[in-house]
Amino acid sequence: MIEEALVRSSGGVVVQSPSVLVSPLHHRRLLRNAPFSSLRRKEFRGKLVSKMANYEGQAVTSGSEVRSGNMIYEPILGDGVFRFDCSLEDKDAAYPSFSFVNSRDRDTPITTHKVPLYTPTFECLLDQQVVKLELPVGSSLYGTGEASGQLERTGKRVFTWNTDAYGFGPGTTSLYQSHPWVLAVLPNGEAIGILADTTRRCEIDLRKESTIQFVSPSSYPVITFGPCASPTEVLISLSKAIGTVFMPPKWSLGYHQCRWSYLSDQRVLEVAKTFRKKCIPCDVIWMDIDYMDGFRCFTFDKERFHDPQSLVTDLHYSGFKAIWMLDPGIKKEEGYVIYDSGSKNDVWVQKADGTPYVGEVWPGPCVFPDYTQSKVRAWWANLVKDFISNGVDGIWNDMNEPAILKVVTRTMPESNVHRGDDELGGRQNHSFYHNVYGLLMARSTYEGMKLANENKRPFVLTRAGFSGSQRYAATWTGDNLSTWEHLHMSISMLLQLGLSGQPLSGPDIGGFAGNATPRLFGRWMGVASLFPFCRGHSEAGTTDHEPWSFGEEGLDKLEITLPKGIWFNFDFNDAHPDLPALYLKGGSIIPVGPPLQHVGEANPSDDLTLLVALDEYGKAEGVLFEDDGDGYEFTKGNYLLTHYVAELKSSVVTVSVSKTEGSWERPKRRLHIQLLLGGGALLDTWGTDGDVLQLILPSEEEVLKLVSTSEKQYKDRLENTTPIPDVEEVSGPKGTELLKTPIELKSGDWNLKIVPWIGGRIISMTHMPSGTQWLHSRIEIHGYEEYSGMEYRSAGCSEEYSVIDRELEHAGEEESVVLEGDIGGGLILRRQIYVPKNAASVVQIDSSIVARSVGAGSAGFSRLVCLRVHPTFSLLHPSESSVSFTSIDGSTHEVFPDGGEQSFEGNLIPNGEWRLNDKCLGLALVNRFNVSEVFKCLIHWDSGTVNLELWSESRPVSKQSPLGISHQYEVIRIP
């Protein structure tokens, strides 16, 4: 019966070119394993367009190279789910599914009398298959997985090809994940979804209104879900095919703090301590690649993270979990136990000649596990199992597109060979497995964590993924930017992922690349508090992005436009007023858990609060799921799912439990009902959870009075709080606008970020060959500063500076920035920063105090001034740091952090240079200067920093006698 239906519905004809001695299917299989060059693809696209035009709506006669027609179908899985193929032969040729939980479900028809309402058409030429689904005019299109830009996808085209897309924009067409899926909302409100079940590079073309088109190498099926009554029903149907998100441990739903990188265990503990000191909720701290020994996976730096178990014990005591990064690139180095083990077990991805592929990643030359083999997945899983014994709570899989450095394609060659299991597709080149490499790595990591402890829920975060990867890992949206555009995009990107079957996702809050302003970070944090995965993360070289790093707290006053419906605003009146208000839609009941527990405090109360917002009919409902927060007892029914309802009758609001599911015992706890009235006003009552509670609604006049009082209190609160500073709108003297963002001076070996408006300071100084950031600071303080007097923070460090000259590198000339700041009394502090033309390893700074308009009454001389160069350098490894030099008198000195503040004058000053040594890195920052200009050198050690100050003589200056210091910095290697 099914075969009959397949043949009846087929409008296509399988043909064979007279010049080909194998069937078209076998011919396609041969082509599938050959690289499809860009030239050939262009030729194909041109031919395909002309052939499509010629065969529109027609069957194809024998001898033609194009096949086209309606796709054949069979019902699978459940009501309203249909599989479509170009032909029976194509159906047999399709490879196993990575998307489906069970690939056999896709391949097993079911009996039903239903037929699809929408049938896709196909056209095939050589190795390419084009599938088109035309929907009613006025349909809106969503999904396409991880996609930047707008939420509604009509008019867009993307390509599923997992890509390391650092600094992506709204027009980027390939990001880190591939989800060949589109969700359409029809004009009548119904919805339908379509999945192109192929791992190959796939073009999703939505540029034609109400039309979905997939283009990918043959042969692959497409699966339709619906039409259903709503998008929610379509996604429920999809989840039965590709699976739901893994059940995360409860702690993973809190706020996470991360940075590339916290460079020592002491810095990690310092960050954790500050969260608790400032009472900012945070559940997890992350360790990026710098915890490793030379970026070797499954190792720990012996100096900076010498005892990871002790670190994790301290974090656990403070209420934190610890997540650590593992990349797929394994350093190619004999003697490195992971490399030796992998080589012995023959686990690496191979080149076409059968030798292991070697690509450049963070450790240098690397080899890559071939996760398409079950033996390799087991090998990796056992490594993860052992790694967990160090106290690891979760694992972060990064760079698993896989990303390769120093190559144009950003990934490994498509000609590489994977010796995959037969049930996955067998031996194939990389183009077949590229998009699922990250999924398979995440799966292997997840399985390794389960091996370590089957009674704990794994938590894995993956950057690369594919439809189905949500079964093993959460995801984040990759290397975004600290811009308003990326804040806006982060919302639509998460929604697209959720509408594509991956709901547990989030962006890097505040932006990964660049420096967030206080206002941008505050707004982003407020929005992100409602994201499923909530993590702050920033790259090396940026200013600190921990929540307290942006200055004094306060509110951000903004106008809010809400969707249609009844909305009630409220806030928690806590110590961190990040938002002016939160809004709850009428008809909702939202459970709110107990407050954060702090170290040394007794257990917090188990009180449960229900926020109740009635709709226009006086009703509201909400659901609360509870279990142990970890483990798998919930799969045996040991959970509690409570349905709460509220209803208004005769001025009495009754809140009760309508039904429950599960055998988990309800905690004995108080229940706090807060009935929202609008304007921040509320009524509340206390009782016992599980009992029926009632509130008597006062008269309309009394309600209006409560609302009015609440609005006034809220207005007073706003007026008495400090607004978030808007440093993007800085004005100079006479209203002249100053630069709004730091200047980047990137030349030779150096990348500097310079703030022209506050102190003219350098806030970041990164040596690019070593990847070492020797200096970083907030905009407002520290970094590289200069003073005009012997007293600390004298004039020069906080004045407004202007950019006098800005030269970009051109025709061999050096790139430079010239700044000037008015320090009063007719004096100007002038500074030129540049990389010399013939010395790419050096950054040069020429500074001077110049008399611009000194009064005649002082005989043309200024007040007494001293040029004081005051850089604040970061100590990456305080215990392994020192300052060393040889004095003018020939004596040698090495000053360590425990030496406190020391100064050197006369013949004891360094003889033209001194070094900040980092023995752990094997690097030194050399500061060279003209000894005739420097009269004093000062070393001041602080928490994680050191000042290496150069002081000029102290004297008045005139137009003819400025006071200057010229000096330079260079990084060298040391034993």
Side-chain angles (χ1 to χ4, degrees):
M1 172 179 163
I2 293 173
E3 289 254 338
E4 206 171 81
L6 288 170
V7 173
R8 276 203 311 269
S9 67
S10 175
V13 179
V14 179
V15 297
Q16 178 177 328
S17 169
S19 63
V20 179
L21 299 180
V22 295
S23 72
L25 174 62
H26 292 142
H27 182 52
R28 290 196 302 276
R29 274 190 161 172
L30 290 173
L31 289 173
R32 180 182 292 129
N33 292 319
F36 195 65
S37 70
S38 58
L39 177 60
R40 181 181 163 203
R41 187 173 291 110
K42 290 176 182 176
E43 293 173 348
F44 156 73
R45 294 295 296 173
K47 292 178 181 177
L48 184 60
V49 170
S50 62
K51 293 294 183 181
M52 286 180 179
N54 293 335
Y55 292 98
E56 185 73 28
Q58 300 178 24
V60 184
T61 58
S62 180
S64 169
E65 60 182 354
V66 176
R67 299 183 300 131
S68 66
N70 292 329
M71 302 187 83
I72 61 175
Y73 75 88
E74 60 186 12
I76 61 170
L77 205 64
D79 283 348
V81 182
F82 297 93
R83 169 180 174 158
F84 292 88
D85 292 274
C86 298
S87 68
L88 288 172
E89 200 175 21
D90 287 283
K91 177 179 181 293
D92 292 338
Y95 285 103
S97 175
F98 278 87
S99 301
F100 275 58
V101 175
N102 187 339
S103 185
R104 286 187 291 272
D105 289 342
R106 190 199 67 179
D107 303 332
T108 305
I110 63 172
T111 302
T112 181
H113 297 292
K114 290 188 175 181
V115 297
L117 295 181
Y118 300 95
T119 298
T121 60
F122 76 94
E123 297 199 32
C124 294
L125 172 64
L126 299 177
D127 194 31
Q128 295 291 296
Q129 173 180 320
V130 180
V131 175
K132 184 184 296 184
L133 180 64
E134 296 184 341
L135 299 171
V137 174
S139 298
S140 54
L141 306 177
Y142 304 89
T144 70
E146 187 180 46
S148 56
Q150 65 192 40
L151 179 63
E152 216 278 327
R153 304 305 294 166
T154 299
K156 302 296 181 181
R157 179 174 63 162
V158 298
F159 298 84
T160 62
W161 187 253
N162 291 357
T163 302
D164 180 2
Y166 177 94
F168 59 87
T172 304
T173 57
S174 295
L175 295 178
Y176 305 89
Q177 300 215 1
S178 294
H179 299 258
W181 158 264
V182 179
L183 174 67
V185 178
L186 308 179
N188 64 0
E190 293 182 337
I192 185 172
I194 181 169
L195 174 72
D197 202 15
T198 176
T199 64
R200 304 290 291 275
R201 188 193 313 266
C202 180
E203 175 187 327
I204 307 175
D205 191 346
L206 308 179
R207 292 175 295 177
K208 185 178 179 181
E209 183 183 1
S210 304
T211 300
I212 301 167
Q213 180 172 286
F214 298 106
V215 182
S216 191
S218 338
S219 296
Y220 63 91
V222 296
I223 319 297
T224 63
F225 300 82
C228 300
S230 69
T232 300
E233 290 189 19
V234 172
L235 292 175
I236 291 173
S237 181
L238 175 68
S239 71
K240 292 177 181 176
I242 69 172
T244 58
V245 69
F246 72 102
M247 176 65 90
K250 186 178 179 181
W251 56 261
S252 68
L253 301 179
Y255 177 69
H256 302 237
Q257 183 61 51
C258 184
R259 180 174 176 84
W260 177 31
S261 279
Y262 293 126
L263 292 172
S264 70
D265 49 12
Q266 292 305 306
R267 175 59 179 154
V268 172
L269 293 174
E270 179 186 349
V271 170
K273 181 180 179 181
T274 307
F275 269 105
R276 293 298 179 250
K277 180 180 178 181
K278 292 181 175 292
C279 299
I280 300 175
C282 183
D283 291 274
V284 191
I285 293 185
W286 293 60
M287 267 53 74
D288 210 315
I289 54 174
D290 291 280
Y291 80 83
M292 303 176 188
D293 178 12
F295 306 137
R296 298 172 182 86
C297 287
F298 301 103
T299 69
F300 298 89
D301 186 282
K302 297 179 178 61
E303 296 294 330
R304 294 177 291 119
F305 290 87
H306 66 284
D307 189 352
Q309 287 182 315
S310 177
L311 170 62
V312 171
T313 297
D314 289 343
L315 289 173
H316 286 177
Y317 175 75
S318 300
F320 291 93
K321 301 293 185 180
I323 294 181
W324 307 72
M325 177 180 281
L326 287 177
D327 287 347
I330 301 299
K331 185 175 178 65
K332 183 179 183 295
E333 178 183 66
E334 292 186 5
Y336 168 35
V337 64
I338 306 301
Y339 173 74
D340 291 343
S341 170
S343 299
K344 179 180 178 181
N345 289 281
D346 189 24
V347 305
W348 311 127
V349 174
Q350 295 181 344
K351 296 189 294 185
D353 63 7
T355 60
Y357 166 74
V358 179
E360 188 87 4
V361 201
W362 306 122
C366 289
V367 288
F368 298 83
D370 183 1
Y371 299 107
T372 67
Q373 303 178 63
S374 57
K375 74 166 189 177
V376 178
R377 295 194 298 276
W379 173 80
W380 182 269
N382 278 288
L383 292 176
V384 169
K385 175 187 174 183
D386 295 340
F387 188 60
I388 295 297
S389 66
N390 293 289
V392 172
D393 297 303
I395 291 178
W396 175 13
N397 289 159
D398 193 17
M399 303 290 286
N400 55 345
E401 291 72 30
I404 308 295
L405 305 179
K406 300 181 181 179
V407 294
V408 175
T409 61
R410 305 184 189 179
T411 192
M412 60 178 60
E414 294 185 39
S415 59
N416 277 3
V417 175
H418 296 266
R419 295 162 287 165
D421 301 332
D422 288 341
E423 59 267 27
L424 297 185
R427 183 185 181 93
Q428 299 283 350
N429 63 26
H430 182 67
S431 64
F432 180 86
Y433 285 119
H434 173 83
N435 282 336
V436 294
Y437 189 87
L439 179 153
L440 291 171
M441 181 186 184
R443 171 183 168 183
S444 305
T445 303
Y446 178 90
E447 291 171 348
M449 292 196 71
K450 290 201 74 171
L451 279 176
N453 191 333
E454 63 180 12
N455 295 319
K456 282 193 173 184
R457 303 173 195 168
F459 183 82
V460 179
L461 184 78
T462 183
R463 189 168 77 174
F466 188 75
S467 295
S469 60
Q470 76 283 345
R471 302 192 294 265
Y472 312 110
T475 193
W476 89 105
T477 58
D479 296 341
N480 60 356
L481 302 179
S482 294
T483 65
W484 289 99
E485 179 181 55
H486 273 258
L487 165 57
H488 299 151
M489 281 200 302
S490 69
I491 300 171
S492 60
M493 291 179 74
L494 300 197
L495 293 174
Q496 300 291 17
L497 281 165
L499 293 173
S500 302
Q502 172 54 289
L504 188 49
S505 63
D508 286 340
I509 299 170
F512 175 73
N515 297 314
T517 63
R519 183 165 171 261
L520 173 61
F521 186 86
R523 186 77 63 84
W524 210 326
M525 182 66 84
V527 173
S529 65
L530 304 176
F531 289 166
F533 174 61
C534 182
R535 183 185 73 160
H537 183 40
S538 54
E539 73 168 335
T542 60
T543 54
D544 291 347
H545 276 60
E546 290 76 29
W548 57 84
S549 301
F550 296 89
E552 185 180 359
E553 293 186 42
L555 295 175
D556 188 15
K557 302 177 182 178
L558 64 151
E559 297 292 329
I560 295 177
T561 302
L562 297 168
K564 293 180 180 178
I566 299 174
W567 294 86
F568 296 86
N569 66 308
F570 66 96
D571 61 61
F572 293 108
N573 290 312
D574 62 7
H576 304 287
D578 297 318
L579 287 172
L582 297 175
Y583 288 82
L584 185 60
K585 189 173 184 180
S588 305
I589 296 179
I590 301 296
V592 179
L596 181 72
Q597 180 180 355
H598 302 294
V599 179
E601 291 184 357
N603 289 334
S605 67
D606 292 327
D607 297 345
L608 175 66
T609 298
L610 296 182
L611 301 175
V612 179
L614 300 176
D615 61 16
E616 62 268 37
Y617 305 106
K619 296 183 178 181
E621 59 183 17
V623 177
L624 174 62
F625 176 88
E626 299 174 274
D627 70 351
D628 290 327
D630 209 341
Y632 292 92
E633 287 299 309
F634 71 92
T635 63
K636 304 172 185 177
N638 194 16
Y639 65 91
L640 180 63
L641 186 66
T642 304
H643 295 256
Y644 293 98
V645 295
E647 187 173 11
L648 171 64
K649 285 186 177 179
S650 302
S651 299
V652 176
V653 177
T654 302
V655 181
S656 61
V657 174
S658 62
K659 65 175 181 178
T660 62
E661 298 176 22
S663 60
W664 199 65
E665 185 178 354
R666 183 179 302 279
K668 293 179 173 59
R669 61 189 173 201
R670 296 192 304 167
L671 183 64
H672 187 199
I673 304 296
Q674 294 187 335
L675 177 64
L676 306 183
L677 302 176
L682 57 83
L683 295 175
D684 71 332
T685 190
W686 289 85
T688 301
D689 186 26
D691 291 349
V692 176
L693 278 72
Q694 292 185 326
L695 298 92
I696 299 176
L697 202 64
S699 66
E700 184 175 349
E701 181 181 353
E702 290 175 310
V703 169
L704 291 174
K705 185 182 295 184
L706 287 171
V707 171
S708 176
T709 301
S710 176
E711 289 176 338
K712 184 179 184 305
Q713 291 173 344
Y714 184 70
K715 183 179 179 181
D716 292 341
R717 183 180 170 198
L718 282 179
E719 292 175 349
N720 292 323
T721 55
T722 304
I724 295 178
D726 194 347
V727 298
E728 294 176 318
E729 298 178 1
V730 180
S731 295
K734 300 181 180 178
T736 58
E737 188 177 14
L738 301 176
L739 290 177
K740 297 180 179 180
T741 56
I743 293 173
E744 183 178 55
L745 195 157
K746 189 174 183 180
S747 183
D749 290 352
W750 292 95
N751 186 354
L752 277 63
K753 290 185 172 64
I754 305 158
V755 178
W757 65 92
I758 304 175
R761 61 177 47 85
I762 303 172
I763 61 171
S764 176
M765 181 183 284
T766 302
H767 180 251
M768 293 186 288
S770 66
T772 308
Q773 188 180 23
W774 292 93
L775 178 149
H776 71 94
S777 73
R778 299 199 308 269
I779 290 173
E780 302 89 352
I781 193 171
H782 296 320
Y784 177 96
E785 303 174 320
E786 292 176 355
Y787 308 148
S788 61
M790 290 185 288
E791 65 275 13
Y792 178 62
R793 298 193 66 77
S794 54
C797 69
S798 57
E799 283 72 18
E800 293 178 346
Y801 280 65
S802 299
V803 177
I804 302 304
D805 191 19
R806 176 78 166 102
E807 293 291 337
L808 298 177
E809 188 173 359
H810 179 69
E813 296 299 323
E814 63 261 16
E815 183 170 353
S816 69
V817 176
V818 180
L819 305 169
E820 284 189 358
D822 188 337
I823 57 175
L827 297 178
I828 298 295
L829 207 162
R830 181 183 177 92
R831 184 178 314 136
Q832 181 179 14
I833 308 166
Y834 61 100
V835 174
K837 176 180 176 181
N838 298 318
S841 63
V842 169
V843 59
Q844 179 81 27
I845 303 176
D846 298 334
S847 300
S848 58
I849 297 177
V850 180
R852 182 67 53 84
S853 57
V854 178
S858 59
F861 286 91
S862 72
R863 67 181 185 270
L864 198 66
V865 291
C866 171
L867 178 57
R868 182 176 172 185
V869 174
H870 179 85
T872 303
F873 295 112
S874 303
L875 297 178
L876 305 181
H877 311 98
S879 63
E880 296 295 323
S881 298
S882 66
V883 175
S884 62
F885 60 90
T886 299
S887 295
I888 293 175
D889 65 5
S891 59
T892 59
H893 303 262
E894 186 165 15
V895 183
F896 294 92
D898 57 6
E901 182 174 292
Q902 297 187 38
S903 62
F904 304 88
E905 301 181 52
N907 287 336
L908 289 179
I909 69 169
N911 191 17
E913 72 172 47
W914 52 353
R915 301 178 179 183
L916 172 58
N917 303 303
D918 187 320
K919 296 176 183 177
C920 188
L921 292 176
L923 298 174
L925 178 66
V926 181
N927 179 204
R928 300 188 183 96
F929 53 88
N930 185 340
V931 292
S932 66
E933 297 175 334
V934 175
F935 281 68
K936 179 179 178 179
C937 292
L938 182 144
I939 302 172
H940 175 80
W941 302 94
D942 205 339
S943 177
T945 63
V946 63
N947 302 118
L948 298 182
E949 295 193 9
L950 304 175
W951 294 37
S952 74
E953 63 177 324
S954 181
R955 64 172 173 81
V957 299
S958 67
K959 291 183 179 180
Q960 291 74 31
S961 59
L963 196 58
I965 294 178
S966 294
H967 63 119
Q968 61 180 219
Y969 296 98
E970 183 179 17
V971 174
I972 64 170
R973 294 201 172 274
I974 59 174

